[in-house]
């Protein structure tokens, strides 16, 4: 078979992520839950000011910005956005000024939420931070900032929410190959991948990469905000254009979304998320986050408990990062907040 990734040689990429990320067994969690073998793919360890999935996307997006001779990076996210934080860190590393449009999407107004976690890191990178209301139209906000910069004679490069463009999603097509290479080298046969799905590029990229390699398998996206159909559509629109960058015209991909773990909304805690964060920290010494990986792990735990997988199967939890946000949620993890005495 011809190398399905041959076209990548012509696409600019700047090294930003620590790759390959480890693929580790979670023996204690596996034992506590009973059920399938559980591995964790450590994309929380990609680097860029505490790691996360945006690093893989930014390798392509920042390279595109550089090849267009951009001199300022503009992006958008919630106040505790991991994407904004990793973009700010990447811009700092490449010596580019960065403007972050942060939307007050999450109805938490504690000092920690406003100033700690990702918000603290954003400030340390020297990014210019502009706050917007929670219902702001993110595309319009970044377009307006870009216009303003252009009028000042600058060359802005806009990265949309979550870095989920076809180019950004390519990072996860490559991650699929990295994961399968690791699994193959250790004789591990993967039956399913589970991860948190937000702006959709991670899931789309994984599906494209697996299809390109002829190794399609269930990729279960646990929605962190949108209802099922809306989330599926976000992923679906990225599949064809991402595949096209690899020269593939048709990709058969089944977009599996579970919207049962969002709770009251994006960025708002749920009891299942808290249980997942605490269980994984206590059993494996691993840090998840309240917004993405905690809810995604809650989804995996529920599936294992209800017997979706046999003991002979192997499931990989893709840890997409975000643990910096834990510190912004300190008030949501007190005994009071958890409803304990
Ligand atoms: C952005 C993000 C996700 C979701 O990835 P998408 O590509 O936006 O779907 C999951 N986990 C963490 C920690 C993130 O920051």
């Amino acid at each position: 078979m011809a190398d399905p990734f041959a076209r990548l040689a012509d696409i600019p990429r700047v090294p930003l992520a620590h790759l390959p990320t480890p693929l580790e067994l979670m023996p204690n969690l596996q034992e506590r839950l009973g059920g399938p073998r559980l591995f964790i793919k450590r994309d929380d360890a990609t680097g860029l000011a505490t790691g996360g999935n945006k690093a893989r996307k930014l390798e392509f997006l920042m390279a595109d910005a550089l090849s267009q001779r951009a001199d300022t990076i503009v992006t958008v996210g919630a106040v505790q956005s991991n994407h904004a934080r990793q973009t700010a860190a990447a811009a700092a590393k490449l010596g580019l000024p960065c403007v972050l449009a942060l939307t007050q999407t999450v109805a938490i107004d504690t000092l920690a939420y406003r100033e700690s976690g990702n918000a603290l890191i954003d400030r340390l990178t020297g990014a210019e931070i502009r706050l917007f209301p929670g219902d702001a139209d993110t595309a319009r906000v970044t377009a307006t900032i870009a216009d303003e910069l252009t009028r000042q004679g600058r060359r802005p490069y806009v990265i949309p929410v979550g870095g989920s463009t076809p180019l950004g999603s390519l990072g996860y097509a490559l991650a699929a190959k990295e994961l399968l290479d690791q699994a193959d080298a250790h004789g591990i046969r993967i039956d399913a991948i589970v991860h948190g799905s937000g702006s959709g590029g991670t899931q789309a990229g994984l599906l494209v990469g697996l299809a390109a390699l002829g190794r399609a398998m269930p990729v279960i996206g646990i929605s962190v905000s949108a209802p099922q159909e809306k989330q599926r559509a976000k992923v679906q629109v990225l599949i064809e254009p991402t595949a096209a960058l690899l020269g593939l015209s048709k990709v058969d991909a089944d977009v599996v979304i579970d919207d049962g773990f969002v709770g009251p909304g994006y960025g708002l805690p749920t009891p299942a998320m808290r249980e997942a964060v605490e269980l994984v920290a206590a059993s494996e010494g691993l840090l998840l986050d309240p917004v993405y990986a905690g809810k995604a792990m809650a989804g995996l735990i529920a599936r294992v408990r209800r017997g979706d997988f046999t003991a002979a199967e192997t499931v990989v939890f893709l840890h997409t990062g975000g643990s910096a946000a834990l510190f912004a949620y300190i008030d949501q993890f007190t005994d009071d907040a958890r409803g304990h005495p």
Side-chain angles (χ1 to χ4, degrees):
M1 181 164 106
D3 176 6
F5 294 99
R7 292 263 187 113
L8 281 179
D10 301 325
I11 301 178
R13 182 178 177 195
V14 56
L16 291 170
H18 303 162
L19 304 178
T21 58
L23 177 64
E24 298 170 341
L25 190 63
M26 295 189 285
N28 305 325
L29 183 65
Q30 183 183 310
E31 196 184 304
R32 290 224 197 167
L33 294 176
R37 271 213 301 177
L38 293 177
F39 282 88
I40 186 163
K41 174 68 170 160
R42 298 289 308 277
D43 275 18
D44 59 317
T46 53
L48 284 184
T50 73
N53 63 342
K54 304 311 178 304
R56 291 188 191 267
K57 299 175 177 184
L58 287 164
E59 290 200 330
F60 290 99
L61 296 167
M62 296 302 267
D64 191 41
L66 292 173
S67 73
Q68 292 185 24
R69 288 181 293 114
D71 61 13
T72 308
I73 303 298
V74 178
T75 199
V76 60
V79 169
Q80 284 296 331
S81 165
N82 301 299
H83 164 70
R85 178 254 307 162
Q86 289 208 289
T87 301
K93 186 174 164 72
L94 297 171
L96 292 170
C98 180
V99 181
L100 299 179
L102 301 182
T103 59
Q104 291 159 323
T105 312
V106 178
I108 298 178
D109 194 30
T110 57
L111 175 65
Y113 190 84
R114 288 194 308 271
E115 300 290 345
S116 186
N118 287 307
L120 168 62
I121 300 172
D122 292 345
R123 247 186 307 113
L124 295 177
T125 65
E128 179 189 332
I129 294 158
R130 302 193 192 182
L131 289 175
F132 293 87
D135 60 357
D137 176 335
T138 57
R140 183 174 303 167
V141 160
T142 49
T144 304
I145 295 172
D147 282 349
E148 174 195 318
L149 293 168
T150 304
R151 280 197 305 274
Q152 295 167 5
R154 311 257 289 269
R155 292 176 65 92
Y157 183 88
V158 173
I159 301 179
V161 177
S164 283
T165 65
L167 208 48
S169 304
L170 264 190
Y172 271 89
L174 270 180
K177 177 169 162 43
E178 180 183 301
L179 173 61
L180 291 182
D181 285 348
Q182 284 173 315
D184 291 350
H186 293 93
I188 300 161
R189 208 197 87 106
I190 302 170
D191 295 290
I193 299 169
V194 177
H195 71 92
S197 195
S199 61
T202 300
Q203 192 166 3
L206 287 173
L207 288 168
V208 168
L210 293 169
L213 294 161
R215 306 266 302 264
M217 65 178 72
V219 177
I220 301 165
I222 309 292
S223 177
V224 299
S225 56
Q228 190 173 55
E229 284 315 313
K230 198 173 160 199
Q231 187 59 29
R232 181 175 291 129
K234 284 200 251 178
V235 176
Q236 197 75 53
V237 301
L238 288 165
I239 289 179
E240 215 181 276
T242 304
L245 290 173
L246 296 176
L248 302 171
S249 53
K250 184 156 167 24
V251 177
D252 280 321
D254 190 11
V255 181
V256 180
I257 302 289
D258 184 345
D259 65 0
F261 297 87
V262 178
Y266 172 80
L268 296 173
T270 63
M273 175 281 288
R274 284 197 194 89
E275 190 214 355
V277 168
E278 291 171 359
L279 180 61
V280 172
S283 60
E284 298 289 348
L286 282 171
L287 297 181
L288 303 178
D289 79 288
V291 184
Y292 294 96
K295 287 182 177 176
M297 181 60 87
L300 172 57
I301 291 170
R303 278 162 186 267
V304 170
R305 283 184 178 150
R306 76 175 187 219
D308 278 17
F309 309 105
T310 69
E313 288 184 298
T314 296
V315 178
V316 172
F317 179 76
L318 172 64
H319 189 341
T320 45
S323 58
L326 266 178
F327 304 98
Y329 280 79
I330 180 174
D331 303 286
Q332 283 71 32
F333 278 86
T334 60
D335 283 344
D336 266 359
R338 293 158 69 241
H340 290 209

